[in-house]
Amino acid sequence: MKYRGFVLGALTSTLTLSAAWTAYAVMNRDEGPNNIVQVNGRLEVQRVEIATKFAGQVSTVNVNEGDQVKVGDVIAQMDPSDYVGQLEGVYAMKQRALKARARAEGERDVQSIKASVAQLELDSAYELRKQVLISDSELQKRKAQRDGETRGIGIATAAMGEALAASEEADAGIKRLQTAIKDHTLRAPVTGRVEYRVVEPGSVIPAGGRVATVLDTSHVHMTIYLPSAASGRVRVGDDARIVLDAAPDLRLPAKVAFVSAEAQFTPKHVETPAEREKLSYRVRLALSEETAMKHAGLLKAGLTGNGFVKLHSESTQDDWPGDVKTSAAKSDDAW
């Protein structure tokens, strides 16, 4: 029994040392020509929430979970009846404003004619007054009549401006309501896959109510956590590779798209190379849009795998180890 316990203890110690050495070897390859760090992670796909800007009833939902959609595809249709009725009312206001403007223009023309006649009568009155054929009061009466008719031109002109403003206000209301009616048709803003269909036709939802969730399959990345010894040698734009557990023979080329500026505690679900590495830096490995779209059928949120990052160094060698080297035959496999 003692012998067996000794053997098991020795075996456990050997495995522990072997695992520790493997982690150290992966994270400390300064002696080799290629400084590659390997860390496990999960794929993340950008989610886009399709929601309504206006409260109302859902008329139709045109997609199901798992459907592929393109930019501009109709996701759902809200009932725009209330806004259509408002639009008809604003069109009527527009017509009333146009008629009011036409009437004001006519009144201005009439007042202009009256003012011209009043001015002629006033000029005649001045001549008659010189000949003492009319009194001062009659002259003042003709002058007041001329001033009144002239003032009427200003009032009619102001009425024209008021009618014009009402017409422009109606135009703004028409544009706003037309936009609102257009927004009642919910369209896909990105190309991707429908993850959730949240509501059904007939549902009444508030403004901002979610109708569906679309995964933007053109924006896929893997978030990994690197210890400080490695993160200090990673630059945005550095080469990387992603190898998924679901497709171990496929090497997906990626780029370092983000490196956090501050260390944080490593999440519990992340397997760190060494237990002493409590603080690490979050790094995002992003696939190109072309690669993501090419393998859209394979790439799903939550897939586990490993991220390989080439640490920044002064070395000019560009050779990847055989296990992560990009192979044109493997990278171009059809899925």
Side-chain angles (χ1 to χ4, degrees):
M1 295 298 293
K2 292 182 178 180
Y3 178 75
R4 180 180 298 175
F6 174 78
V7 172
L8 290 176
L11 180 60
T12 301
S13 299
T14 302
L15 292 175
T16 302
L17 289 173
S18 177
W21 172 252
T22 300
Y24 179 84
V26 172
M27 298 299 296
N28 298 272
R29 300 183 59 174
D30 295 344
E31 296 80 0
N34 302 297
N35 300 322
I36 306 298
V37 62
Q38 172 185 349
V39 184
N40 72 306
R42 295 175 182 270
L43 277 190
E44 298 178 20
V45 182
Q46 181 175 310
R47 286 179 170 83
V48 179
E49 305 292 346
I50 310 299
T52 176
K53 292 173 59 177
F54 308 95
Q57 187 176 44
V58 180
S59 297
T60 59
V61 180
N62 297 4
V63 296
N64 293 306
E65 294 179 356
D67 287 353
Q68 293 286 339
V69 295
K70 300 188 298 293
V71 175
D73 285 353
V74 176
I75 300 295
Q77 176 67 56
M78 303 290 294
D79 182 8
S81 300
D82 292 343
Y83 291 88
V84 171
Q86 293 180 37
L87 181 62
E88 293 175 353
V90 177
Y91 273 126
M93 292 173 57
K94 168 76 172 179
Q95 294 300 317
R96 184 172 62 185
L98 293 176
K99 291 180 179 180
R101 183 181 181 185
R103 182 176 65 250
E105 288 179 350
E107 291 177 352
R108 183 196 60 180
D109 294 341
V110 170
Q111 289 300 128
S112 296
I113 295 173
K114 289 182 177 180
S116 298
V117 173
Q119 182 64 48
L120 291 174
E121 291 180 350
L122 178 60
D123 293 340
S124 177
Y126 276 122
E127 294 298 327
L128 293 174
R129 180 56 186 161
K130 289 178 182 179
Q131 300 175 22
V132 194
L133 296 176
I134 59 174
S135 62
D136 286 338
S137 60
E138 182 65 22
L139 179 64
Q140 294 300 322
K141 179 180 178 181
R142 300 278 179 89
K143 186 177 180 181
Q145 185 177 4
R146 190 278 314 270
D147 292 342
E149 300 297 348
T150 303
R151 188 66 179 270
I153 297 174
I155 295 174
T157 303
M160 286 179 57
E162 183 178 358
L164 177 61
S167 176
E168 292 175 347
E169 182 181 4
D171 288 336
I174 290 171
K175 184 177 180 180
R176 177 180 61 82
L177 288 171
Q178 287 177 337
T179 301
I181 292 172
K182 181 180 178 180
D183 288 340
H184 275 64
T185 301
L186 307 183
R187 299 181 180 275
V190 297
T191 296
R193 184 171 56 251
V194 177
E195 183 181 27
Y196 298 115
R197 169 173 164 158
V198 181
V199 299
E200 297 299 326
S203 302
V204 177
I205 57 178
R210 187 160 57 103
V211 173
T213 300
V214 175
L215 295 176
D216 184 357
T217 52
S218 65
H219 290 81
V220 182
H221 64 271
M222 174 180 282
T223 298
I224 61 176
Y225 292 84
L226 295 180
S228 57
S231 60
R233 299 172 58 190
V234 175
R235 305 287 188 272
V236 172
D238 283 352
D239 269 346
R241 299 290 184 271
I242 294 176
V243 180
L244 300 175
D245 295 339
D249 294 332
L250 182 64
R251 282 46 170 155
L252 299 173
K255 293 286 186 181
V256 176
F258 169 81
V259 180
S260 62
E262 185 176 358
Q264 63 186 78
F265 283 102
T266 306
K268 294 296 183 182
H269 66 271
V270 176
E271 299 174 4
T272 56
E275 278 298 320
R276 63 184 182 83
E277 294 288 355
K278 299 300 182 183
L279 290 176
S280 59
Y281 290 79
R282 182 165 59 93
V283 177
R284 179 178 297 170
L285 309 181
L287 298 177
S288 67
E289 184 173 343
E290 180 182 358
T291 300
M293 294 301 296
K294 180 178 180 180
H295 301 287
L298 166 67
L299 304 178
K300 300 176 179 62
L303 286 181
T304 57
N306 290 285
F308 296 83
V309 182
K310 179 180 290 187
L311 301 181
H312 189 80
S313 68
E314 299 300 327
S315 174
T316 59
Q317 299 186 42
D318 195 31
D319 296 325
W320 287 79
D323 58 338
V324 295
K325 189 174 182 180
T326 303
S327 170
K330 293 180 178 179
S331 298
D332 295 337
D333 289 342
W335 288 85

